[in-house]
């Protein structure tokens, strides 16, 4: 890999990614509408980054933030399909830590392994979890269900001092910004 850099994406770039990649990379029931993303960006509650190598985008990430939170939610992270399996996801996570350094860490929702629909789905979810844990993310005791999809909450701490209770409180601050309340089935600390 050559020199990589993260760049905040323009609205035109976000729209291009949305139409060419996002709608393919994420299941329909987990995608936000483009006007919801636009509103979050205009309210300064969302930021979109691209990972570039030699001025070619290799991956993208959409993150939620708000003025009351110490953390951000890594809402979407995807490597462009023909670059997957080449280390770009790992590199992107490490570089995100640098550009998001004013926050304490990144919160991620990952589809719960315990709620896989079949054995193939379970293996995909386990691989996804393994990727994140191999890259320094930590399990939490928090789970949630949004629009009927059950997620395990994992955490990418930028500082080793963190606890589940504070993270849960912060997630309660972020969720109303990110997801309309009618779509949250539950958020619990186990």
């Amino acid at each position: 890999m050559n020199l990589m850099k993260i760049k905040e994406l323009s609205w035109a770039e976000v729209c291009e990614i949305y139409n060419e990649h996002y709608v393919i990379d994420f299941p329909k029931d987990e995608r936000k509408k483009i006007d919801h993303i636009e509103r979050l960006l205009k309210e300064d509650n969302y930021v979109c980054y691209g990972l570039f190598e030699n001025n070619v985008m290799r991956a993208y990430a959409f993150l939620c933030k708000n003025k009351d939170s110490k953390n951000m939610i890594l809402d979407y992270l995807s490597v462009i399909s023909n670059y997957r399996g080449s280390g770009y996801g790992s590199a992107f996570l490490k570089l995100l830590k640098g550009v998001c350094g004013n926050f304490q860490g990144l919160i991620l929702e990952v589809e719960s392994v315990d709620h896989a629909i079949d054995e193939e789905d379970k293996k995909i979810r386990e691989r996804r979890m393994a990727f994140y844990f191999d890259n320094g993310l930590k399990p939490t005791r928090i789970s949630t269900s949004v629009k009927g999809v059950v997620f395990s909450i994992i955490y990418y701490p930028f500082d080793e001092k963190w606890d589940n209770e504070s993270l849960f409180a912060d997630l309660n601050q972020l969720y109303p910004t990110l997801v309309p309340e009618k779509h949250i089935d539950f958020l619990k600390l186990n």
Side-chain angles (χ1 to χ4, degrees):
M1 284 187 237
N2 295 311
L3 182 64
M4 289 182 283
K5 65 178 183 174
I6 288 184
K7 179 182 108 171
E8 189 170 344
L9 300 172
S10 69
W11 176 242
E13 290 169 317
V14 170
C15 290
E16 183 179 332
I17 289 165
Y18 187 93
N19 292 316
E20 292 181 22
H21 302 288
Y22 175 87
V23 295
I24 297 166
D25 294 340
F26 297 96
K28 185 176 183 177
D29 61 346
E30 294 179 27
R31 294 191 303 245
K32 287 182 179 44
K33 293 183 179 178
I34 191 72
D35 59 330
H36 186 186
I37 292 172
E38 181 180 29
R39 181 181 55 80
L40 288 167
L41 284 164
K42 284 182 178 177
E43 293 170 349
D44 195 32
N45 288 323
Y46 216 64
V47 61
C48 302
Y49 292 112
L51 174 69
F52 291 83
E53 181 180 48
N54 299 325
N55 295 318
V56 176
M57 191 176 64
R58 306 295 192 200
Y60 62 93
F62 296 177
L63 299 98
C64 178
K65 60 182 181 165
N66 73 23
K67 63 179 176 35
D68 299 319
S69 177
K70 298 173 187 153
N71 293 285
M72 298 175 83
I73 293 177
L74 181 53
D75 202 18
Y76 300 99
L77 170 71
S78 185
V79 174
I80 304 300
S81 60
N82 46 329
Y83 300 113
R84 290 182 185 148
S86 301
Y88 291 107
S90 298
F92 200 10
L93 278 171
K94 288 181 181 101
L95 291 171
L96 275 173
K97 189 174 184 177
V99 297
C100 300
N102 292 338
F103 292 88
Q104 292 178 352
L106 300 177
I107 300 168
L108 281 78
E109 302 165 322
V110 182
E111 290 176 311
S112 170
V113 172
D114 295 337
H115 291 86
I117 55 174
D118 57 30
E119 199 56 39
E120 182 180 336
D121 186 42
K122 183 177 181 179
K123 288 178 184 175
I124 290 168
R125 292 176 185 210
E126 287 172 340
R127 277 196 309 269
R128 192 173 294 134
M129 276 292 199
F131 164 79
Y132 285 123
F133 293 152
D134 287 348
N135 281 285
L137 281 88
K138 308 293 183 196
T140 73
R141 297 188 341 258
I142 305 168
S143 59
T144 188
S145 176
V146 180
K147 294 194 253 181
V149 180
V150 179
F151 296 97
S152 298
I153 300 297
I154 60 175
Y155 187 56
Y156 188 30
F158 300 159
D159 181 347
E160 289 302 315
K161 296 178 186 174
W162 67 277
D163 61 79
N164 283 280
E165 290 74 16
S166 298
L167 199 58
F168 183 76
D170 220 29
L171 196 51
N172 272 304
Q173 292 290 330
L174 282 162
Y175 258 177
T177 302
L178 185 64
V179 184
E181 282 185 34
K182 63 184 177 187
H183 296 299
I184 299 173
D185 306 315
F186 66 80
L187 173 64
K188 62 183 179 181
L189 178 62
N190 301 317

